[in-house]
C-alpha cells in the first residue's frame, strides 16, 4: 500500500524536490555566513551575536544536511559544517542553554557525525545531550523546560522532539541513563500533555517535589484548553520517534491518537493547518510549520503500522504537503525562504504569517522521506 501511494504521487514528489534543490542550492551559498530564523523583505535574517542561543538555530545546518543527503552537492555540506562552527559560540555561556539543545545540535552536529563520522560533531552533540540530561528533575520526574525562577516546574510538549538526542547518546556511549530519562519524559507527556481526545496541552506546570500537575497554560495557543496545532504536531512526530527509538507500543498508539485528531481538523479546512484548532473562526491564522512537522510524523507512522492502516497516514501527509506547496510555497529563487505562512503563536503581535526556518526544514524532510531516503535525522 505504501509503495503504491508513493508511486501514484511520484511526479509531484520529484518535481517538488527538484524545485527545492534549484532554490536552496543558491540560498546555501547566499546565506552561508548566517544563522537564519526568518526573512526580511525576502532576505534571511541572522541570529548570531546576542541571539546565538535561540532555540531554532540548528535548523539551518540541519536543512543543509538534508539537502546534502538528497543531492551529494558539496555546497550544502560546506554550509552545514560552517553553520556548526558558528554555533560553537552558543557553548560559551551554558547558563543560557535550555531544553531545546536537541533542536540546536542533534539535527546539525548529530547529522554531521552520522553522515561523515566527524568526531568534533559527535562531541558537540554529546555535550548538548549532557546539558539536556542535566535538566532532569529527579523528584518531579520531568525535564525542566526554561530557566526562569517562575518556571522551575514547567514542561512543554515541544521537548518530545529534543529527547531523541538522549536516545542517541545512550546508544552512542553505552549509558542507559540517557534513554531512561527520555522515556520518563515521554511517559509524563503521554499522561499530562496528551488529552484523551488526542488534543494536546502545550505547557504544564508541575510540583517540583512530587511531579503532580498544578495547572496548564495556553502557551502559544489561543487559550487554556485550546489546541495549538504546532504543539499537536510536536507530539505527533515526537511520539512516533520515541517508538522508533524504543519499540514501546504505547508511544506509537499515542502518535496515532494525536494524528487522528490532527487529520480530522485538517480535513475540515482544505488541508491547510490553522494555528489553533479550537480558536474563533476570525481572524484566520495559519501555521504552515505545524503542517510540515505533522506530515513528517504521519509518514513515519505509515512505515510502522500494518499495510491496511498505512493509507490514512500517508495520504493525509501528502494532502497537507500538496495543499501547502500550492498555497504557501515561494519558489522565487531571488528570495531566501521556501515555506511561507508560518506563525509563532496565536496571540503574538508579531510573527504571524511569516517564513520560519523550521518550516523549510520539515517541509524538506518530508519530501526527502517521500523520495524513499531512509536517513532519520532524529
Amino acid at each position: 500500500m505504501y509503495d503504491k501511494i508513493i508511486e501514484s504521487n511520484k511526479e509531484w514528489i520529484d518535481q517538488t524536490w527538484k524545485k527545492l534543490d534549484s532554490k536552496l542550492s543558491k540560498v546555501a551559498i547566499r546565506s552561508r555566513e548566517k544563522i537564519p530564523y526568518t526573512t526580511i523583505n525576502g532576505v534571511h535574517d541572522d541570529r548570531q551575536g546576542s541571539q546565538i542561543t535561540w532555540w531554532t538555530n540548528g535548523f539551518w545546518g540541519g536543512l543543509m544536511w538534508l539537502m546534502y543527503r538528497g543531492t551529494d552537492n558539496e555546497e550544502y555540506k560546506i554550509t552545514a559544517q560552517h553553520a556548526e562552527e558558528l554555533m560553537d559560540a552558543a557553548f560559551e555561556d551554558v547558563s543560557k542553554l535550555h531544553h531545546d539543545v536537541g533542536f540546536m545540535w542533534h539535527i546539525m552536529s548529530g547529522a554531521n557525525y552520522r553522515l561523515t563520522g566527524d568526531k568534533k560533531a559527535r562531541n558537540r552533540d554529546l555535550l548538548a545531550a549532557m546539558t539536556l540530561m542535566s535538566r532532569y528533575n529527579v523528584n518531579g520526574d520531568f525535564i525542566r523546560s526554561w530557566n526562569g525562577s517562575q518556571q522551575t516546574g514547567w514542561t512543554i510538549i515541544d521537548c518530545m522532539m529534543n529527547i531523541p538526542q538522549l536516545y542517541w547518546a545512550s546508544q552512542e556511549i553505552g549509558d542507559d541513563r540517557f534513554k531512561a530519562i527520555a522515556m520518563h519524559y515521554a511517559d509524563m507527556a503521554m499522561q499530562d500533555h496528551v488529552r484523551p481526545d488526542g488534543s494536546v496541552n502545550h505547557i504544564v506546570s508541575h510540583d517540583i517535589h512530587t511531579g503532580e500537575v498544578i495547572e496548564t497554560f495556553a502557551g502559544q495557543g489561543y487559550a487554556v484548553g485550546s489546541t495549538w496545532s504546532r504543539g499537536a504536531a510536536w507530539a505527533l512526530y515526537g511520539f512516533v520517534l520515541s517508538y522508533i527509538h524504543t519499540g514501546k507500543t504505547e508511544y506509537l498508539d499515542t502518535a496515532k491518537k494525536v494524528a487522528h485528531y490532527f487529520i480530522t481538523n485538517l480535513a475540515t479546512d482544505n488541508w491547510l493547518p490553522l494555528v489553533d484548532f479550537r480558536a474563533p473562526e476570525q481572524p484566520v491564522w495559519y501555521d504552515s510549520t505545524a503542517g510540515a512537522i505533522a506530515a513528517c510524523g504521519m509518514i513515519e507512522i505509515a512505515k510502522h503500522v500494518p499495510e491496511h492502516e498505512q493509507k490514512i497516514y500517508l495520504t493525509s501527509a501528502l494532502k497537507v504537503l500538496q495543499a501547502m506547496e500550492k498555497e504557501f510555497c515561494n519558489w522565487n529563487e531571488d528570495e531566501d525562504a521556501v515555506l511561507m505562512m508560518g506563525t509563532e503563536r496565536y496571540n503574538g503581535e508579531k510573527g504571524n504569517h511569516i517564513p520560519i526556518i523550521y518550516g523549510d526544514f520539515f517541509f524538506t524532510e518530508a519530501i526527502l522521506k517521500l523520495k524513499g531516503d531512509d536517513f532519520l535525522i532524529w
Side-chain angles (χ1 to χ4, degrees):
M1 179 66 72
Y2 187 99
D3 292 340
K4 183 178 179 180
I5 294 169
I6 293 295
E7 184 60 31
S8 65
N9 289 275
K10 187 175 186 302
E11 182 178 359
W12 177 82
I13 295 167
D14 289 344
Q15 288 178 348
T16 303
W17 180 261
K18 184 177 180 179
K19 288 189 284 189
L20 281 168
D21 185 29
S22 180
K23 177 165 181 169
L24 290 175
S25 62
K26 298 176 178 64
V27 179
I29 297 171
R30 198 159 61 218
S31 294
R32 183 163 288 164
E33 296 299 327
K34 296 180 178 181
I35 302 291
Y37 172 71
T38 186
T39 65
I40 300 171
N41 298 322
V43 178
H44 272 151
D45 67 349
D46 189 0
R47 293 278 164 147
Q48 293 184 68
S50 63
Q51 295 181 307
I52 195 62
T53 57
W54 184 241
W55 73 275
T56 68
N57 284 356
F59 284 104
W60 171 240
L63 173 60
M64 294 294 99
W65 282 119
L66 290 172
M67 292 306 302
Y68 173 70
R69 171 72 179 191
T71 66
D72 287 325
N73 181 343
E74 289 289 318
E75 295 294 346
Y76 291 125
K77 180 180 179 181
I78 292 168
T79 300
Q81 290 178 327
H82 186 55
E84 192 176 341
E85 292 168 354
L86 294 176
M87 280 292 292
D88 280 346
F91 282 124
E92 293 178 4
D93 187 352
V94 295
S95 67
K96 293 182 180 179
L97 297 181
H98 38 73
H99 63 282
D100 280 329
V101 291
F103 283 139
M104 294 171 70
W105 278 285
H106 192 52
I107 57 174
M108 181 180 60
S109 299
N112 184 7
Y113 171 60
R114 283 174 284 149
L115 290 173
T116 73
D118 187 315
K119 296 297 186 182
K120 288 185 178 180
R122 176 183 184 270
N123 192 56
R124 292 178 178 108
D125 206 11
L126 285 173
L127 284 172
M130 292 171 187
T131 299
L132 181 58
M133 186 178 178
S134 74
R135 304 186 70 81
Y136 177 63
N137 179 316
V138 177
N139 295 324
D141 196 23
F142 59 83
I143 297 172
R144 174 182 175 175
S145 294
W146 294 289
N147 298 329
S149 60
Q150 303 302 311
Q151 301 166 322
T152 54
W154 286 21
T155 62
I156 62 172
I157 196 62
D158 315 36
C159 201
M160 284 300 301
M161 296 296 296
N162 287 304
I163 60 175
Q165 185 179 52
L166 300 181
Y167 295 131
W168 166 80
S170 263
Q171 185 175 12
E172 186 65 24
I173 63 175
D175 188 333
D176 288 343
R177 292 177 300 166
F178 291 86
K179 179 180 178 180
I181 287 173
M183 292 183 72
H184 277 252
Y185 194 88
D187 292 343
M188 177 281 298
M190 275 199 302
Q191 175 179 298
D192 297 343
H193 283 269
V194 180
R195 303 171 185 141
D197 65 354
S199 62
V200 174
N201 292 313
H202 180 200
I203 300 174
V204 176
S205 176
H206 301 265
D207 185 295
I208 61 173
H209 302 293
T210 67
E212 293 182 6
V213 174
I214 298 173
E215 62 180 314
T216 62
F217 300 100
Q220 288 167 251
Y222 167 68
V224 174
S226 67
T227 304
W228 179 50
S229 62
R230 192 160 77 245
W234 293 139
L236 193 166
Y237 196 9
F239 276 105
V240 72
L241 288 172
S242 277
Y243 168 74
I244 291 168
H245 285 289
T246 68
K248 185 171 180 175
T249 56
E250 289 87 346
Y251 297 156
L252 180 60
D253 291 341
T254 301
K256 290 165 64 176
K257 179 167 69 172
V258 178
H260 295 165
Y261 182 88
F262 204 100
I263 290 167
T264 299
N265 283 277
L266 284 175
T268 60
D269 202 30
N270 299 315
W271 297 94
L272 297 174
L274 297 169
V275 174
D276 195 302
F277 293 136
R278 290 178 181 166
E281 292 186 2
Q282 298 294 330
V284 177
W285 295 120
Y286 293 106
D287 182 12
S288 59
T289 71
I293 297 160
C296 288
M298 288 187 274
I299 294 167
E300 289 299 329
I301 292 174
K303 296 176 183 177
H304 292 91
V305 296
E307 179 183 358
H308 299 296
E309 276 191 68
Q310 293 172 349
K311 183 177 180 180
I312 184 174
Y313 304 108
L314 187 55
T315 57
S316 295
L318 280 158
K319 284 180 179 179
V320 65
L321 291 168
Q322 289 168 344
M324 295 198 305
E325 192 274 326
K326 179 181 178 181
E327 299 294 335
F328 294 162
C329 281
N330 174 8
W331 298 117
N332 181 349
E333 296 184 359
D334 292 326
E335 297 185 10
D336 291 339
V338 174
L339 187 63
M340 315 304 282
M341 301 294 281
T343 296
E344 294 174 338
R345 58 187 304 126
Y346 185 90
N347 294 311
E349 296 180 1
K350 299 179 181 179
N352 293 331
H353 292 174
I354 63 171
I356 306 176
I357 192 62
Y358 48 84
D360 287 1
F361 173 92
F362 285 104
F363 186 84
T364 300
E365 184 187 2
I367 303 302
L368 188 61
K369 290 179 188 292
L370 294 174
K371 280 177 59 64
D373 194 287
D374 62 357
F375 176 62
L376 185 65
I377 198 167
W378 302 95

